[in-house]
Amino acid sequence: MDTLRELYQEIIIDHGRRPRNFGAPKDYTHALKGYNPLCGDQLTLFLTWQGNHIEQAQFEGQGCAISMASASLMTEALRGKTAIEAEKLFQTFHEFVTQSGLTAEDSLGKLAILGGVREYPTRIKCATLAWHTLASLLKGQQNEVSTEV
Ligand code: ZN
């Protein structure tokens, strides 16, 4: 199976062309910028909290198709998650795309398709940019996140 081809077919074409939850919301609780200097991908992640869970996750920015598709899929997956659940999802996703040979946990759902980037180490930062931004936001960081720090 050609994993990059599958990646493009399943995610890039769909989520890359029509990213979900794209655009800056009028109201939000938290926002943080992320930047991947290796590829030039940049985005801003917006989270709106309702009680202890994420009511809405949105993003805006520009970058390669993988970075946009990953952010699109992430914002879909975050809806309804608590901070602890979101942090756990970050860790599960990060391990999955950075370590070879792991099978996807059920909790990853559609995100598992991004595992194709493991074959292309230079693209891993593209797939994890939105997630590093999320993890930093959850920790309360306010300065722009860079994948190279
Ligand atoms: Zn990229």
Side-chain angles (χ1 to χ4, degrees):
M1 181 166 55
D2 184 332
T3 48
L4 184 62
R5 211 167 123 201
E6 184 189 10
L7 187 69
Y8 271 84
Q9 285 174 347
E10 298 293 329
I11 295 199
I12 310 298
I13 290 175
D14 183 17
H15 281 262
R17 272 188 196 159
R18 296 184 301 120
R20 315 301 196 274
N21 307 309
F22 189 84
K26 245 196 296 183
D27 296 309
Y28 53 88
T29 325
H30 295 88
L32 192 62
K33 284 184 182 173
Y35 178 48
N36 171 21
L38 287 182
C39 183
D41 311 315
Q42 47 192 315
L43 57 81
T44 304
L45 176 66
F46 303 92
L47 293 186
T48 305
W49 293 83
Q50 175 87 30
N52 70 344
H53 69 271
I54 297 168
E55 174 74 12
Q56 178 74 4
Q58 289 178 245
F59 76 103
E60 65 172 5
Q62 52 195 345
C64 70
I66 291 175
S67 68
M68 293 295 107
S70 182
S72 173
L73 285 160
M74 183 188 80
T75 54
E76 279 195 329
L78 286 179
R79 200 161 188 173
K81 295 263 189 303
T82 64
I84 290 168
E85 289 167 345
E87 166 71 20
K88 173 85 174 81
L89 189 62
F90 160 73
Q91 283 171 5
T92 303
F93 179 80
H94 194 259
E95 278 174 19
F96 177 61
V97 296
T98 55
Q99 296 175 25
S100 57
L102 289 184
T103 44
E105 289 186 23
D106 289 346
S107 63
L108 287 176
K110 271 195 287 183
L111 296 165
I113 302 168
L114 287 164
V117 298
R118 288 183 295 197
E119 311 294 320
Y120 307 90
T122 56
R123 310 312 300 275
I124 289 174
K125 298 266 169 72
C126 302
T128 57
L129 170 63
W131 294 85
H132 282 296
T133 308
L134 168 70
S136 297
L137 190 156
L138 291 173
K139 284 181 200 141
Q141 189 174 317
Q142 292 178 340
N143 299 324
E144 180 176 295
V145 179
S146 171
T147 55
E148 295 308 296
V149 175

